[in-house]
Amino acid sequence: MAGTTVAEVLAELAALDDPRAREVNEKHGDDHGVNLGKLRAIAKRLKTRQELALELWETDDTAAKLLALLICRPKAFERDDLDRMVREARTPKVHDWLVNYVVKKSPHAEDLRVAWSADPDPVVASAGWALTTERVAKKPEGLDLTRLLDVVEKEMRDAPDRLQWAMNHCLAQIGIEHDEHRARAIDIGERLEVLKDYPTPPNCTSPFAPVWIAEMVRRQEAGR
């Protein structure tokens, strides 16, 4: 696989593009039609290929960018590389994979979390909130959870969609993980009613924070 070129990869991705899958993805803002299972199979075959990943990222092809995020070496990126990339991530899936598969594994994650959370671009700010949610769950020491709830209470209702979603996730995570803040987190969710009417498939948990918190706490207690 060492000789694989960008042109060969793009041709393979183009051959996998399914118009029906593209139609479904486009409803969520993602302009590609490649089955993600097949995309992951290509990544597994290619293994880690940082140089190829960099070349794929520079294309204007969403599936190629997603593949780049699967075969890159997260710790190889400088802080400014990741800052540039989050601003270039046009679609929700590319944005999510960049944050979850690359930035979270980077030594620059905390620095970027702080910087992005205060960024005037709501999509960039949503990346900061996603990293904050990760810390709420896994490494809350040093976080001011009361201040985070203050910001959510003040700003979430009127925030643009992707930023609102990220703030809501943080709100729910605080309520799930930190029982001393749970009552306030639930109260904020009930008063703001963000995502209260979000269509939720059967057997899935609603993203409405009070319901989400209650369900995850119930599962935690059931598992004890």
Side-chain angles (χ1 to χ4, degrees), residues 90-119:
R90 295 179 296 103
T91 67
K93 185 66 72 177
V94 171
H95 180 272
D96 289 346
W97 281 21
L98 173 62
V99 173
N100 287 299
Y101 297 166
V102 181
V103 180
K104 286 182 180 179
K105 299 176 183 177
S106 164
H108 308 292
E110 179 59 15
D111 182 24
L112 290 170
R113 181 190 75 81
V114 174
W116 288 347
S117 295
D119 199 278

mmCIF file of all heavy atoms in Angstrom, residues 90-119:
data_model
loop_
_atom_site.group_PDB
_atom_site.id
_atom_site.type_symbol
_atom_site.label_atom_id
_atom_site.label_comp_id
_atom_site.label_asym_id
_atom_site.label_seq_id
_atom_site.Cartn_x
_atom_site.Cartn_y
_atom_site.Cartn_z
ATOM 1 N N ARG A 90 -15.989 21.820 6.679
ATOM 2 C CA ARG A 90 -17.242 22.426 6.227
ATOM 3 C C ARG A 90 -18.478 21.661 6.697
ATOM 4 O O ARG A 90 -19.540 22.240 6.900
ATOM 5 C CB ARG A 90 -17.271 22.497 4.693
ATOM 6 C CG ARG A 90 -16.233 23.397 4.067
ATOM 7 C CD ARG A 90 -16.348 23.376 2.544
ATOM 8 N NE ARG A 90 -16.068 22.041 1.996
ATOM 9 C CZ ARG A 90 -16.973 21.186 1.571
ATOM 10 N NH1 ARG A 90 -18.258 21.488 1.632
ATOM 11 N NH2 ARG A 90 -16.607 20.012 1.064
ATOM 12 N N THR A 91 -18.373 20.345 6.814
ATOM 13 C CA THR A 91 -19.571 19.544 7.069
ATOM 14 C C THR A 91 -19.575 18.993 8.496
ATOM 15 O O THR A 91 -18.525 18.822 9.115
ATOM 16 C CB THR A 91 -19.650 18.361 6.083
ATOM 17 O OG1 THR A 91 -18.580 17.448 6.363
ATOM 18 C CG2 THR A 91 -19.551 18.845 4.634
ATOM 19 N N PRO A 92 -20.761 18.707 9.036
ATOM 20 C CA PRO A 92 -20.850 18.236 10.426
ATOM 21 C C PRO A 92 -20.044 16.975 10.709
ATOM 22 O O PRO A 92 -19.395 16.872 11.750
ATOM 23 C CB PRO A 92 -22.354 17.993 10.609
ATOM 24 C CG PRO A 92 -23.013 18.933 9.652
ATOM 25 C CD PRO A 92 -22.104 18.966 8.453
ATOM 26 N N LYS A 93 -20.063 16.005 9.791
ATOM 27 C CA LYS A 93 -19.363 14.747 10.048
ATOM 28 C C LYS A 93 -17.851 14.957 10.079
ATOM 29 O O LYS A 93 -17.156 14.398 10.942
ATOM 30 C CB LYS A 93 -19.727 13.694 8.995
ATOM 31 C CG LYS A 93 -19.137 12.316 9.235
ATOM 32 C CD LYS A 93 -19.705 11.659 10.490
ATOM 33 C CE LYS A 93 -21.131 11.210 10.298
ATOM 34 N NZ LYS A 93 -21.658 10.504 11.495
ATOM 35 N N VAL A 94 -17.330 15.747 9.162
ATOM 36 C CA VAL A 94 -15.891 16.041 9.160
ATOM 37 C C VAL A 94 -15.516 16.758 10.449
ATOM 38 O O VAL A 94 -14.505 16.439 11.096
ATOM 39 C CB VAL A 94 -15.503 16.880 7.925
ATOM 40 C CG1 VAL A 94 -14.058 17.372 8.032
ATOM 41 C CG2 VAL A 94 -15.681 16.061 6.642
ATOM 42 N N HIS A 95 -16.331 17.711 10.847
ATOM 43 C CA HIS A 95 -16.094 18.451 12.086
ATOM 44 C C HIS A 95 -16.077 17.506 13.286
ATOM 45 O O HIS A 95 -15.165 17.545 14.119
ATOM 46 C CB HIS A 95 -17.191 19.512 12.234
ATOM 47 C CG HIS A 95 -17.088 20.361 13.449
ATOM 48 N ND1 HIS A 95 -17.652 20.005 14.664
ATOM 49 C CD2 HIS A 95 -16.496 21.560 13.660
ATOM 50 C CE1 HIS A 95 -17.409 20.948 15.550
ATOM 51 N NE2 HIS A 95 -16.715 21.901 14.976
ATOM 52 N N ASP A 96 -17.075 16.634 13.370
ATOM 53 C CA ASP A 96 -17.182 15.715 14.511
ATOM 54 C C ASP A 96 -16.003 14.748 14.566
ATOM 55 O O ASP A 96 -15.434 14.502 15.632
ATOM 56 C CB ASP A 96 -18.490 14.922 14.433
ATOM 57 C CG ASP A 96 -19.708 15.790 14.717
ATOM 58 O OD1 ASP A 96 -19.544 16.916 15.219
ATOM 59 O OD2 ASP A 96 -20.836 15.347 14.411
ATOM 60 N N TRP A 97 -15.635 14.184 13.414
ATOM 61 C CA TRP A 97 -14.525 13.225 13.395
ATOM 62 C C TRP A 97 -13.205 13.916 13.710
ATOM 63 O O TRP A 97 -12.356 13.343 14.394
ATOM 64 C CB TRP A 97 -14.459 12.523 12.040
ATOM 65 C CG TRP A 97 -15.464 11.422 11.885
ATOM 66 C CD1 TRP A 97 -16.630 11.268 12.600
ATOM 67 C CD2 TRP A 97 -15.408 10.334 10.970
ATOM 68 N NE1 TRP A 97 -17.298 10.154 12.168
ATOM 69 C CE2 TRP A 97 -16.580 9.562 11.174
ATOM 70 C CE3 TRP A 97 -14.510 9.951 9.980
ATOM 71 C CZ2 TRP A 97 -16.845 8.414 10.434
ATOM 72 C CZ3 TRP A 97 -14.770 8.813 9.232
ATOM 73 C CH2 TRP A 97 -15.928 8.043 9.460
ATOM 74 N N LEU A 98 -13.030 15.142 13.206
ATOM 75 C CA LEU A 98 -11.808 15.880 13.496
ATOM 76 C C LEU A 98 -11.661 16.076 15.008
ATOM 77 O O LEU A 98 -10.594 15.821 15.581
ATOM 78 C CB LEU A 98 -11.826 17.235 12.789
ATOM 79 C CG LEU A 98 -10.681 18.196 13.124
ATOM 80 C CD1 LEU A 98 -9.336 17.606 12.725
ATOM 81 C CD2 LEU A 98 -10.902 19.541 12.444
ATOM 82 N N VAL A 99 -12.729 16.502 15.657
ATOM 83 C CA VAL A 99 -12.668 16.745 17.101
ATOM 84 C C VAL A 99 -12.479 15.439 17.870
ATOM 85 O O VAL A 99 -11.616 15.337 18.750
ATOM 86 C CB VAL A 99 -13.934 17.482 17.587
ATOM 87 C CG1 VAL A 99 -13.967 17.577 19.112
ATOM 88 C CG2 VAL A 99 -14.006 18.881 16.968
ATOM 89 N N ASN A 100 -13.272 14.430 17.534
ATOM 90 C CA ASN A 100 -13.284 13.204 18.328
ATOM 91 C C ASN A 100 -12.127 12.255 18.047
ATOM 92 O O ASN A 100 -11.625 11.604 18.967
ATOM 93 C CB ASN A 100 -14.613 12.468 18.105
ATOM 94 C CG ASN A 100 -15.764 13.168 18.795
ATOM 95 O OD1 ASN A 100 -15.773 13.311 20.016
ATOM 96 N ND2 ASN A 100 -16.737 13.632 18.029
ATOM 97 N N TYR A 101 -11.686 12.181 16.796
ATOM 98 C CA TYR A 101 -10.650 11.211 16.432
ATOM 99 C C TYR A 101 -9.245 11.801 16.415
ATOM 100 O O TYR A 101 -8.262 11.063 16.479
ATOM 101 C CB TYR A 101 -10.944 10.601 15.058
ATOM 102 C CG TYR A 101 -12.220 9.805 14.963
ATOM 103 C CD1 TYR A 101 -12.744 9.446 13.728
ATOM 104 C CD2 TYR A 101 -12.922 9.422 16.110
ATOM 105 C CE1 TYR A 101 -13.907 8.709 13.625
ATOM 106 C CE2 TYR A 101 -14.094 8.689 16.015
ATOM 107 C CZ TYR A 101 -14.585 8.343 14.778
ATOM 108 O OH TYR A 101 -15.753 7.617 14.674
ATOM 109 N N VAL A 102 -9.162 13.124 16.319
ATOM 110 C CA VAL A 102 -7.840 13.741 16.175
ATOM 111 C C VAL A 102 -7.541 14.707 17.322
ATOM 112 O O VAL A 102 -6.595 14.511 18.085
ATOM 113 C CB VAL A 102 -7.711 14.454 14.809
ATOM 114 C CG1 VAL A 102 -6.318 15.071 14.652
ATOM 115 C CG2 VAL A 102 -7.979 13.474 13.672
ATOM 116 N N VAL A 103 -8.371 15.736 17.473
ATOM 117 C CA VAL A 103 -8.062 16.771 18.462
ATOM 118 C C VAL A 103 -8.033 16.209 19.880
ATOM 119 O O VAL A 103 -7.156 16.557 20.684
ATOM 120 C CB VAL A 103 -9.054 17.947 18.365
ATOM 121 C CG1 VAL A 103 -8.700 19.017 19.401
ATOM 122 C CG2 VAL A 103 -9.036 18.558 16.965
ATOM 123 N N LYS A 104 -8.975 15.332 20.217
ATOM 124 C CA LYS A 104 -9.017 14.779 21.571
ATOM 125 C C LYS A 104 -7.769 13.976 21.919
ATOM 126 O O LYS A 104 -7.442 13.809 23.094
ATOM 127 C CB LYS A 104 -10.269 13.908 21.754
ATOM 128 C CG LYS A 104 -11.553 14.712 21.891
ATOM 129 C CD LYS A 104 -12.753 13.815 22.108
ATOM 130 C CE LYS A 104 -14.039 14.624 22.237
ATOM 131 N NZ LYS A 104 -15.223 13.767 22.427
ATOM 132 N N LYS A 105 -7.064 13.488 20.902
ATOM 133 C CA LYS A 105 -5.849 12.706 21.129
ATOM 134 C C LYS A 105 -4.582 13.556 21.043
ATOM 135 O O LYS A 105 -3.478 13.047 21.195
ATOM 136 C CB LYS A 105 -5.767 11.571 20.101
ATOM 137 C CG LYS A 105 -6.933 10.595 20.172
ATOM 138 C CD LYS A 105 -6.841 9.566 19.061
ATOM 139 C CE LYS A 105 -8.038 8.615 19.081
ATOM 140 N NZ LYS A 105 -7.993 7.648 17.958
ATOM 141 N N SER A 106 -4.766 14.848 20.792
ATOM 142 C CA SER A 106 -3.633 15.740 20.582
ATOM 143 C C SER A 106 -3.150 16.333 21.896
ATOM 144 O O SER A 106 -3.945 16.620 22.793
ATOM 145 C CB SER A 106 -4.051 16.868 19.635
ATOM 146 O OG SER A 106 -3.128 17.940 19.683
ATOM 147 N N PRO A 107 -1.846 16.583 22.022
ATOM 148 C CA PRO A 107 -1.347 17.277 23.210
ATOM 149 C C PRO A 107 -1.812 18.730 23.283
ATOM 150 O O PRO A 107 -1.658 19.385 24.305
ATOM 151 C CB PRO A 107 0.180 17.190 23.055
ATOM 152 C CG PRO A 107 0.413 16.980 21.595
ATOM 153 C CD PRO A 107 -0.744 16.185 21.110
ATOM 154 N N HIS A 108 -2.402 19.227 22.200
ATOM 155 C CA HIS A 108 -2.883 20.615 22.155
ATOM 156 C C HIS A 108 -4.366 20.729 22.498
ATOM 157 O O HIS A 108 -4.928 21.827 22.409
ATOM 158 C CB HIS A 108 -2.635 21.204 20.756
ATOM 159 C CG HIS A 108 -1.225 21.062 20.277
ATOM 160 N ND1 HIS A 108 -0.169 21.741 20.855
ATOM 161 C CD2 HIS A 108 -0.693 20.277 19.302
ATOM 162 C CE1 HIS A 108 0.949 21.406 20.235
ATOM 163 N NE2 HIS A 108 0.666 20.524 19.297
ATOM 164 N N ALA A 109 -4.992 19.634 22.888
ATOM 165 C CA ALA A 109 -6.440 19.631 23.080
ATOM 166 C C ALA A 109 -6.900 20.658 24.107
ATOM 167 O O ALA A 109 -7.885 21.375 23.891
ATOM 168 C CB ALA A 109 -6.916 18.231 23.470
ATOM 169 N N GLU A 110 -6.220 20.748 25.241
ATOM 170 C CA GLU A 110 -6.670 21.669 26.295
ATOM 171 C C GLU A 110 -6.501 23.127 25.872
ATOM 172 O O GLU A 110 -7.401 23.950 26.103
ATOM 173 C CB GLU A 110 -5.916 21.390 27.596
ATOM 174 C CG GLU A 110 -6.302 22.312 28.753
ATOM 175 C CD GLU A 110 -7.778 22.248 29.130
ATOM 176 O OE1 GLU A 110 -8.490 21.308 28.720
ATOM 177 O OE2 GLU A 110 -8.219 23.178 29.846
ATOM 178 N N ASP A 111 -5.394 23.438 25.253
ATOM 179 C CA ASP A 111 -5.175 24.797 24.769
ATOM 180 C C ASP A 111 -6.248 25.188 23.762
ATOM 181 O O ASP A 111 -6.819 26.293 23.816
ATOM 182 C CB ASP A 111 -3.783 24.883 24.135
ATOM 183 C CG ASP A 111 -3.451 26.282 23.636
ATOM 184 O OD1 ASP A 111 -4.031 27.257 24.150
ATOM 185 O OD2 ASP A 111 -2.614 26.408 22.727
ATOM 186 N N LEU A 112 -6.553 24.274 22.851
ATOM 187 C CA LEU A 112 -7.575 24.545 21.841
ATOM 188 C C LEU A 112 -8.969 24.605 22.457
ATOM 189 O O LEU A 112 -9.810 25.403 22.034
ATOM 190 C CB LEU A 112 -7.518 23.476 20.745
ATOM 191 C CG LEU A 112 -6.271 23.549 19.855
ATOM 192 C CD1 LEU A 112 -6.174 22.317 18.970
ATOM 193 C CD2 LEU A 112 -6.267 24.816 18.997
ATOM 194 N N ARG A 113 -9.216 23.790 23.455
ATOM 195 C CA ARG A 113 -10.523 23.825 24.139
ATOM 196 C C ARG A 113 -10.807 25.228 24.673
ATOM 197 O O ARG A 113 -11.895 25.776 24.461
ATOM 198 C CB ARG A 113 -10.543 22.823 25.298
ATOM 199 C CG ARG A 113 -11.865 22.792 26.045
ATOM 200 C CD ARG A 113 -11.761 21.963 27.320
ATOM 201 N NE ARG A 113 -11.040 22.670 28.384
ATOM 202 C CZ ARG A 113 -11.595 23.597 29.169
ATOM 203 N NH1 ARG A 113 -12.866 23.955 29.007
ATOM 204 N NH2 ARG A 113 -10.877 24.187 30.106
ATOM 205 N N VAL A 114 -9.837 25.797 25.330
ATOM 206 C CA VAL A 114 -10.008 27.129 25.909
ATOM 207 C C VAL A 114 -10.182 28.180 24.816
ATOM 208 O O VAL A 114 -11.078 29.034 24.878
ATOM 209 C CB VAL A 114 -8.812 27.468 26.816
ATOM 210 C CG1 VAL A 114 -8.914 28.898 27.309
ATOM 211 C CG2 VAL A 114 -8.748 26.497 27.991
ATOM 212 N N ALA A 115 -9.327 28.106 23.805
ATOM 213 C CA ALA A 115 -9.372 29.107 22.730
ATOM 214 C C ALA A 115 -10.663 28.997 21.922
ATOM 215 O O ALA A 115 -11.319 30.012 21.635
ATOM 216 C CB ALA A 115 -8.158 28.942 21.818
ATOM 217 N N TRP A 116 -11.025 27.784 21.546
ATOM 218 C CA TRP A 116 -12.213 27.602 20.707
ATOM 219 C C TRP A 116 -13.502 27.949 21.431
ATOM 220 O O TRP A 116 -14.439 28.465 20.828
ATOM 221 C CB TRP A 116 -12.269 26.172 20.196
ATOM 222 C CG TRP A 116 -11.238 25.869 19.149
ATOM 223 C CD1 TRP A 116 -10.466 26.772 18.457
ATOM 224 C CD2 TRP A 116 -10.860 24.579 18.665
ATOM 225 N NE1 TRP A 116 -9.639 26.110 17.582
ATOM 226 C CE2 TRP A 116 -9.856 24.772 17.691
ATOM 227 C CE3 TRP A 116 -11.266 23.278 18.966
ATOM 228 C CZ2 TRP A 116 -9.270 23.711 17.007
ATOM 229 C CZ3 TRP A 116 -10.678 22.219 18.296
ATOM 230 C CH2 TRP A 116 -9.682 22.435 17.322
ATOM 231 N N SER A 117 -13.569 27.668 22.717
ATOM 232 C CA SER A 117 -14.802 27.947 23.459
ATOM 233 C C SER A 117 -15.174 29.423 23.402
ATOM 234 O O SER A 117 -16.356 29.782 23.487
ATOM 235 C CB SER A 117 -14.660 27.498 24.914
ATOM 236 O OG SER A 117 -14.509 26.093 25.002
ATOM 237 N N ALA A 118 -14.167 30.284 23.260
ATOM 238 C CA ALA A 118 -14.396 31.726 23.222
ATOM 239 C C ALA A 118 -14.392 32.282 21.796
ATOM 240 O O ALA A 118 -14.438 33.500 21.609
ATOM 241 C CB ALA A 118 -13.326 32.439 24.046
ATOM 242 N N ASP A 119 -14.344 31.419 20.800
ATOM 243 C CA ASP A 119 -14.241 31.874 19.409
ATOM 244 C C ASP A 119 -15.572 32.456 18.928
ATOM 245 O O ASP A 119 -16.635 31.914 19.233
ATOM 246 C CB ASP A 119 -13.834 30.706 18.508
ATOM 247 C CG ASP A 119 -13.273 31.181 17.177
ATOM 248 O OD1 ASP A 119 -14.086 31.492 16.265
ATOM 249 O OD2 ASP A 119 -12.031 31.264 17.049
#
